[in-house]
Amino acid sequence: RAPGNSDLGCRAGCVSRVYNSGIAMRWVARVIALAMFFWLAASGSASASCVGVKCSCSVSGDTISFGGYVPTAAGDINVAADISVTCKAFVLGVISYEIHLGSGLHGTVAIRKMSNGSSQLTYNIYKNAGRTIIWGDGTNGTGTMGDSYLLALGASHTETVSMYGRLTGGQNVSAGSYSDTIIATVVY
């Protein structure tokens, strides 16, 4: 879109600007479209196992989208999305697993950041709706999610849990599209 044209139907990745009398540009509000995408990876690990059985597990998840962000607006933006683990046993046995979330491309597990060039927005993902326990890899005070259950021969079972995102309000950043990539690993 050419500068000076407004687009009230702006989709993700657009920036809405308002011009004052066509002479001097005045930001009425900076709208930032935000999206965070999950690369999902499954891995076998010795730190947890399918007790006494052979099994396989996979992980999948929804995209977390914080929508439009206005730096001058009061308060945080809170969203939720789901992540699922499907395990299949080849013999009768107990399945145990944990889901670990990585730090992302621009921050740490304790302080995740979305990026748009050199500009960054702080956010995080929590394992509870109260957003008091950061969902990470179990280091730096973060928690993981897990489960354990009996699974019959040849059966598969899917567990779905919610993840809770929070984008911290009051961050003065340039307009644009911000993103990060998180690796979710199921350890079984």
Side-chain angles (χ1 to χ4, degrees):
R1 210 163 232 323
N5 295 338
S6 70
D7 184 356
L8 299 177
C10 187
R11 295 183 302 265
C14 299
V15 177
S16 298
R17 295 180 187 160
V18 177
Y19 289 83
N20 187 13
S21 302
I23 299 171
M25 182 176 80
R26 186 182 86 184
W27 286 94
V28 172
R30 287 185 257 176
V31 179
I32 302 169
L34 305 171
M36 186 177 72
F37 304 100
F38 284 89
W39 272 112
L40 302 168
S43 70
S45 173
S47 64
S49 65
C50 299
V51 180
V53 299
K54 291 186 175 184
C55 69
S56 66
C57 295
S58 63
V59 62
S60 63
D62 297 335
T63 298
I64 292 179
S65 177
F66 290 101
Y69 177 74
V70 179
T72 57
D76 301 331
I77 297 175
N78 293 318
V79 298
D82 289 333
I83 190 164
S84 299
V85 173
T86 301
C87 292
K88 182 173 183 172
F90 302 110
V91 293
L92 177 66
V94 176
I95 304 283
S96 297
Y97 68 85
E98 286 186 353
I99 306 168
H100 296 198
L101 297 183
S103 61
L105 301 175
H106 315 287
T108 66
V109 176
I111 304 171
R112 293 182 172 107
K113 296 181 180 189
M114 288 183 278
S115 176
N116 176 24
S118 63
S119 189
Q120 294 184 330
L121 276 170
T122 301
Y123 76 97
N124 225 322
I125 303 168
Y126 299 84
K127 57 184 264 180
N128 63 331
R131 292 168 176 82
T132 57
I133 304 168
I134 295 171
W135 190 346
D137 59 5
T139 62
N140 297 321
T142 66
T144 62
M145 294 289 268
D147 200 3
S148 182
Y149 48 84
L150 181 65
L151 198 55
L153 169 68
S156 66
H157 181 76
T158 300
E159 290 284 326
T160 300
V161 294
S162 294
M163 51 189 164
Y164 303 93
R166 172 172 284 161
L167 177 61
T168 309
Q171 299 179 66
N172 189 16
V173 295
S174 59
S177 181
Y178 288 72
S179 66
D180 194 7
T181 301
I182 301 290
I183 305 239
T185 306
V186 59
V187 180
Y188 59 94

